[in-house]
Amino acid sequence: MFRLNNILLLFLLFFTAVPCLSQELKTYSPPASTVSSRHNNDFTVQVRMPGGEWKDLFEYSVLVDNDTGSKATMVNFDFAGKVEVKVRVNNGIVHDVRIRPDKAGIKPLIQGNVFTFAMDRPQMLSVEVNGNKLNNLHVMAKSILADLPKAGSKGVVYFGPGVHKPGDQPGDVFVIPSNTTVFIDGGAVLQGKLLCNKVENVKIMGHGVIDQAIRGIEITHSKNVAIDGPAIVNPKHYSIYLGESQNISIKNVCAFSYGPWTDGIDMMSCSDVDIDNVFLRTSDDCIAIYCHRWNFYGNSTNVHVSNAVLWADVAHPINLGLHGDTSCQGDTIENVTFKDVDILEHDEDDRNYQGAMAICSGDFNLVRNVVFENIRVDEIQEGQLFNIRVDNNEKYCTGPGRSIENVLFRNISYTGTLPNSSVIQGYAEDRRVK
């Protein structure tokens, strides 16, 4: 009896100590002006906790693919636990539905022009009906943010539900000072970029939308800046632009771009950059790492990208090394890791610029110690799996690169249908790929 009682006591202590898994769902209502100007009626999307009431989501219109100028859809919500998503297709019959990345393992149940699927963790997904990747649905489901800053608190810039404009003049921006936390409510729409220039200790958080700004977020000559959560929709230039900055964290960000030079996350002469859990669909490079460009100088070191979904409608999902400084002996890009990345598409028709994973060492740059690990490439419409070259690109460079050294590919898969040829090419005997 004594031993049995002890066992019962241990069970009681265990189940008392283990917290119950929480179930929570947060949806957001867009500003009235956004409803009329930014809604896409291709889909009607709802979400609920298991057994709960369906909640309507706002179907945001996002332009994608600069080659075709296609109108896709985005919905966003936050949850913990499990949810069900219901999608009604409003303009056709549903034959099949594919939800990517494939590693999510999500299989929908189709009934007529309606289908449902379950999610057991926050994920950012592409939902493609009848093979349509240009007018697809993007489901941006994120974790519920904790420890939210309070409006009116010292050092807090709060953007509540509604439309926010920085000013009435072209080029006006939201200037963020040092030692500031910026909170963007999920019902907020910012029509201007967030500028962090020569600042430190800044956090930008929240699941609102930065809509059609010149750039989404710009961080220059700064340090200790963290970005967590916003959606960046159709900027006129980069989604996130980094120049000569250190200790930068970017996570839980999604971005959609259309137009020339609409890269996702580009960095020039930056160090100690961590990018985690991002979904980037862009009409130029998704992620690019350079050295000197414009008024930014120095090396780019210690850049780590993980848990990313990259979709380059135009150009490269990953691009390293092109820009540097030929006024001196050259710069160095080193200690760069891409790990656990899903590349959904790569489409580039210019043979000089191809590569789902591209390293082009130009402008006297030395590129070394680069790791590509657990990279899953779905499809290459036009391009190559990898392109590793020391080169002098006359369009962008004023000299060849120095060399490329110590590049590791581990666990790379390609499941597309296009036969691809990859390139490893040096420039001269003293400017080689090693």
Side-chain angles (χ1 to χ4, degrees), residues 26-28 57-58 74-78 138 140-141 186 207 209:
K26 293 185 70 173
T27 61
Y28 304 99
L57 299 176
F58 179 68
M74 178 196 76
V75 297
N76 64 325
F77 59 92
D78 308 338
H138 303 87
M140 303 290 102
H207 295 164
V209 176

Side-chain angles (χ1 to χ4, degrees), residues 418-430:
L418 177 70
N420 74 88
S421 59
S422 295
V423 172
I424 300 176
Q425 180 178 303
Y427 184 80
E429 282 298 319
D430 60 341

Side-chain angles (χ1 to χ4, degrees), residues 164 172 288:
H164 302 266
D172 281 351

Side-chain angles (χ1 to χ4, degrees), residues 232-250:
I232 301 170
V233 175
N234 296 143
K236 296 176 177 62
H237 207 230
Y238 303 122
S239 292
I240 299 178
Y241 173 82
L242 308 176
E244 205 172 329
S245 295
Q246 299 81 42
N247 297 321
I248 308 299
S249 171
I250 301 169

Side-chain angles (χ1 to χ4, degrees), residues 59-81:
E59 298 85 11
Y60 218 102
S61 179
V62 294
L63 292 174
V64 297
D65 188 18
N66 195 45
D67 290 336
T68 62
S70 299
K71 185 183 292 185
T73 304
M74 178 196 76
V75 297
N76 64 325
F77 59 92
D78 308 338
F79 78 97

Side-chain angles (χ1 to χ4, degrees), residues 269 291-293 296-299 323-332 362-366 398-402 431:
S269 301
C291 289
H292 163 63
R293 198 176 191 194
F296 308 120
Y297 292 86
N299 301 327
H323 302 289
D325 191 355
T326 55
S327 68
C328 62
Q329 66 178 4
D331 295 324
T332 300
D363 279 349
F364 294 1
N365 280 334
L366 166 63
T398 56
R402 278 184 287 162
R431 298 176 183 274

Side-chain angles (χ1 to χ4, degrees), residues 283-318:
S283 284
D284 212 318
D285 299 338
C286 293
I287 297 177
I289 303 172
Y290 305 131
C291 289
H292 163 63
R293 198 176 191 194
W294 300 311
N295 62 332
F296 308 120
Y297 292 86
N299 301 327
S300 284
T301 61
N302 301 327
V303 180
H304 304 287
V305 180
S306 58
N307 305 308
V309 179
L310 307 179
W311 185 334
D313 284 310
V314 180
H316 314 86
I318 298 169

Side-chain angles (χ1 to χ4, degrees), residues 201-205 219 224-228 247-250:
N201 305 324
V202 170
K203 185 171 186 179
I204 298 168
M205 62 185 300
I219 302 170
N224 302 331
V225 180
I227 303 169
D228 186 351
N247 297 321
I248 308 299
S249 171
I250 301 169

